[in-house]
C-alpha cells in the first residue's frame, strides 16, 4: 500500500514508478580536505556521497542538480541493486522520457552535510556522528554550526571538482527547495532555472521554525541524549529519536492519513518511526533542523536571475501553497520570472515525493522552454 511506503521514509523509497525498464545507479564519493563554514569554523576531512543519471554533454550545459528533502539523501532515482525494494524517491520524474529526462540532461544529486541517515550504508556524510580527527572521538554537539548556505557551498565544491560551472536547473523538494533558492541567490550567474517543489517560499515562516524545534525537542529531553555525548553507533537516545520521527511524519501528512480505527493510529506512527530510527542519528537530526531554521533569502531575492517554478501541494500543512504564491509575487515585483503550479492531492507535504508526477507536464514544459519565454507573473 502507498501509505506503508510513505511512512517507511527514508528506509525505503516512496516513488511510484511505472517504467518496465529499471535504471541502476552507482554511489560515488566526494572528499574535501577541509571546509570553512559560514560561521567561520573549519571542518576537516569532509565527505559527501553523490550519484548521477544521464550523460553530461561536451559543453557541460545540460547539468541539473537535485537537492534532497529534510530526511532524504542523494538517492533520487534508480536502484543500486536489482534486489532493492524500491527505487529512489523521485524515480517517477527522473529517467528517460520523464520530466528530468536523462536522454537530455545530466542529473546529479548529493548527500548533505549532517545527513540524518548516517546509519544507512548507502549514505556518505560528515556530521556529528563522524570522528573528529583532532580528538579521535565523535563530534557530537561540538560539530560546527551550519546553515542551509553550507549545504549549498559544499555542493558547489563538488561541482567544481567535476569542472561544472553552470547549472541548467536546480530542482528540489521541501528542504531541497530551500537549497535550490539558496543556489539562486548565492550563485545567480550560475543557475538558469529553479524548480522548487513543496517550497517554504523565500524564508522559513515562524510556524515552521517552531515546528522544527518541536521535531528536535524530544531528543534533547531524553535522559540518554546526555547533551549529545552518546555513542552514535549505539544510538542510545532512542526513545526521544522515535518520538521526533513520529512528529516529523505527523507534520508531513494530511489530516485523514492512516488507519480509520483511532486505537491503531499511535502504533501506526510508532512502528514506522522505529523502522526509520534504525538509520537515523539523533544529533544529526537536531543539526539538520537547526540548519533549516536559517533559511532566508528574502533580502537577497533581488539577486536572483534564474526563472523559478514553484510547485506547492494543495493540502500541505507545513508549506501551504500561499507561501509559494507570496514568493512568486515578490519575485515578479522585483522583475523576475516566476510561476506557480499547485499539485492536487490529499497526501499533504508528502505529495512533494509521492505525488510529484502530477506536475510532470508543468515541470517538463518549464525545463524545455527557452530562457526568457517562461510565464510572467499574473
Amino acid at each position: 500500500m502507498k501509505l506503508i511506503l510513505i511512512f517507511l521514509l527514508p528506509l525505503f523509497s516512496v516513488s511510484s514508478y511505472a517504467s518496465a525498464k529499471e535504471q541502476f545507479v552507482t554511489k560515488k564519493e566526494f572528499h574535501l580536505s577541509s571546509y570553512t563554514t559560514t560561521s567561520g569554523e573549519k571542518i576537516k576531512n569532509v565527505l559527501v556521497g553523490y550519484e548521477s543519471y544521464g550523460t553530461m554533454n561536451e559543453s557541460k550545459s545540460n547539468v541539473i542538480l537535485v537537492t534532497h528533502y529534510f530526511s532524504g539523501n542523494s538517492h533520487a532515482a534508480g536502484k543500486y541493486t536489482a534486489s532493492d525494494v524500491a527505487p529512489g524517491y523521485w524515480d517517477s520524474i527522473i529517467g528517460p522520457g520523464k520530466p528530468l529526462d536523462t536522454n537530455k540532461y545530466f542529473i546529479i544529486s548529493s548527500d548533505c552535510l549532517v545527513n540524518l541517515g548516517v546509519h544507512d550504508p548507502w549514505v556518505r556524510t560528515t556530521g556529528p556522528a563522524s570522528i573528529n580527527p583532532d580528538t579521535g572521538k565523535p563530534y557530537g554537539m561540538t560539530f560546527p554550526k551550519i546553515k542551509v548556505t553550507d549545504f549549498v557551498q559544499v555542493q558547489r565544491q563538488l561541482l567544481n571538482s567535476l569542472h561544472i560551472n553552470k547549472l541548467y536547473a536546480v530542482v528540489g523538494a521541501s528542504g531541497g527547495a530551500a537549497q535550490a533558492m539558496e543556489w539562486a541567490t548565492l550563485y545567480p550567474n550560475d543557475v538558469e532555472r529553479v524548480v522548487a517543489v513543496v517550497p517554504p517560499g523565500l524564508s522559513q515562516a515562524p510556524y515552521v521554525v517552531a515546528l522544527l524545534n518541536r521535531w528536535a525537542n524530544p531528543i534533547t529531553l531524553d535522559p540518554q541524549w546526555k547533551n549529545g555525548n552518546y555513542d552514535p553507533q549505539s544510538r542510545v537516545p532512542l526513545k526521544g529519536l522515535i518520538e521526533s520521527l513520529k512528529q516529523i511524519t505527523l507534520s508531513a501528512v494530511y489530516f485523514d492519513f492512516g488507519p480509520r480505527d483511532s486505537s491503531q493510529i499511535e502504533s501506526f506512527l510508532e512502528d514506522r518511526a522505529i523502522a526509520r530510527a534504525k538509520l537515523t542519528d539523533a544529533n544529526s537530526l537536531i543539526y539538520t533542523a537547526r540548519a533549516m531554521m536559517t533559511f532566508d533569502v528574502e533580502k537577497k531575492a533581488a539577486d536572483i536571475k534564474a526563472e523559478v517554478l514553484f510547485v506547492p501541494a494543495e493540502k500541505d500543512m507545513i508549506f501551504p501553497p500561499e507561501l509559494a504564491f507570496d514568493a512568486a509575487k515578490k519575485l515578479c515585483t522585483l522583475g523576475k520570472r516566476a510561476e506557480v503550479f499547485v499539485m492536487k492531492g490529499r497526501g499533504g507535504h508528502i505529495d512533494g515525493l509521492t505525488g510529484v508526477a502530477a506536475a510532470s507536464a508543468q515541470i517538463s514544459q518549464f525545463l524545455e522552454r527557452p530562457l526568457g519565454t517562461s510565464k510572467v507573473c499574473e
Side-chain angles (χ1 to χ4, degrees):
M1 289 178 61
K2 181 180 178 183
L3 277 172
I4 291 176
L5 290 176
I6 287 173
F7 287 102
L8 286 177
L9 267 172
L11 185 57
F12 300 129
S13 168
V14 296
S15 20
S16 59
Y17 112 120
S19 173
K21 185 178 181 180
E22 294 181 338
Q23 55 179 331
F24 291 93
V25 65
T26 301
K27 191 76 176 197
K28 303 167 188 172
E29 295 183 353
F30 170 62
H31 298 261
L32 193 59
S33 60
S34 68
Y35 168 72
T36 301
T37 68
T38 53
S39 61
E41 298 179 85
K42 183 176 287 188
I43 306 171
K44 297 179 181 178
N45 303 334
V46 173
L47 167 67
V48 293
Y50 71 99
E51 48 196 71
S52 60
Y53 323 88
T55 303
M56 187 157 47
N57 61 21
E58 188 174 347
S59 61
K60 300 185 178 181
S61 60
N62 68 333
V63 181
I64 294 179
L65 175 68
V66 171
T67 46
H68 68 71
Y69 57 98
F70 182 90
S71 59
N73 55 53
S74 63
H75 194 39
K79 291 184 174 184
Y80 295 124
T81 69
S83 62
D84 288 356
V85 174
Y89 66 91
W90 261 2
D91 197 85
S92 62
I93 61 168
I94 298 175
K98 299 175 184 179
L100 275 65
D101 190 343
T102 50
N103 291 329
K104 299 177 181 178
Y105 310 117
F106 176 69
I107 318 294
I108 186 167
S109 177
S110 75
D111 299 324
C112 280
L113 287 173
V114 304
N115 191 285
L116 276 68
V118 66
H119 300 299
D120 181 335
W122 289 106
V123 169
R124 309 288 186 270
T125 187
T126 299
S130 303
I131 300 299
N132 182 343
D134 293 334
T135 66
K137 299 178 180 179
Y139 281 102
M141 296 303 287
T142 68
F143 194 77
K145 295 180 177 63
I146 58 167
K147 300 180 179 180
V148 174
T149 306
D150 293 302
F151 294 162
V152 170
Q153 290 184 340
V154 170
Q155 292 162 3
R156 173 77 271 181
Q157 297 273 10
L158 164 61
L159 295 180
N160 286 346
S161 73
L162 300 173
H163 307 290
I164 297 169
N165 301 315
K166 199 162 189 124
L167 291 169
Y168 187 88
V170 184
V171 185
S174 188
Q179 294 172 59
M181 296 307 297
E182 287 275 6
W183 261 98
T185 57
L186 282 173
Y187 304 106
N189 295 319
D190 301 338
V191 180
E192 296 181 336
R193 301 164 183 83
V194 166
V195 179
V197 179
V198 288
L202 300 179
S203 62
Q204 296 290 22
Y207 173 84
V208 177
V209 173
L211 195 63
L212 288 162
N213 266 316
R214 295 302 181 276
W215 290 357
N217 282 348
I219 294 170
T220 63
L221 295 174
D222 186 333
Q224 298 303 313
W225 181 59
K226 301 176 183 178
N227 295 317
N229 297 315
Y230 60 88
D231 180 354
Q233 296 306 314
S234 62
R235 304 183 291 283
V236 287
L238 189 59
K239 184 176 180 180
L241 176 59
I242 289 171
E243 186 59 34
S244 290
L245 293 169
K246 286 165 62 179
Q247 293 297 324
I248 292 171
T249 296
L250 190 59
S251 300
V253 297
Y254 193 47
F255 74 90
D256 61 352
F257 78 97
R260 302 271 78 70
D261 185 344
S262 60
S263 65
Q264 297 176 10
I265 292 174
E266 192 64 22
S267 60
F268 185 82
L269 292 170
E270 182 94 6
D271 291 346
R272 283 138 188 87
I274 290 171
R276 295 176 67 181
K278 294 176 181 178
L279 304 181
T280 304
D281 173 60
N283 283 340
S284 298
L285 190 155
I286 293 172
Y287 266 82
T288 301
R290 292 178 178 175
M292 284 300 165
M293 291 178 201
T294 68
F295 170 66
D296 186 351
V297 298
E298 295 275 358
K299 295 180 180 178
K300 299 183 289 183
D303 296 334
I304 294 174
K305 295 182 179 180
E307 299 182 8
V308 182
L309 171 64
F310 294 105
V311 186
E314 179 185 24
K315 304 295 185 181
D316 192 343
M317 297 197 293
I318 299 178
F319 300 137
E322 66 185 271
L323 297 176
F325 282 107
D326 289 346
K329 182 178 180 180
K330 178 165 186 176
L331 290 177
C332 289
T333 299
L334 293 169
K336 316 299 177 181
R337 288 182 177 268
E339 56 189 283
V340 180
F341 173 76
V342 181
M343 291 184 292
K344 302 294 183 183
R346 297 184 65 82
H349 191 67
I350 206 74
D351 271 343
L353 305 181
T354 61
V356 70
S360 288
Q362 288 72 24
I363 293 172
S364 293
Q365 291 164 13
F366 177 79
L367 292 175
E368 291 169 3
R369 281 199 299 261
L371 291 172
T373 62
S374 64
K375 294 179 182 178
V376 178
C377 293
E378 299 176 356

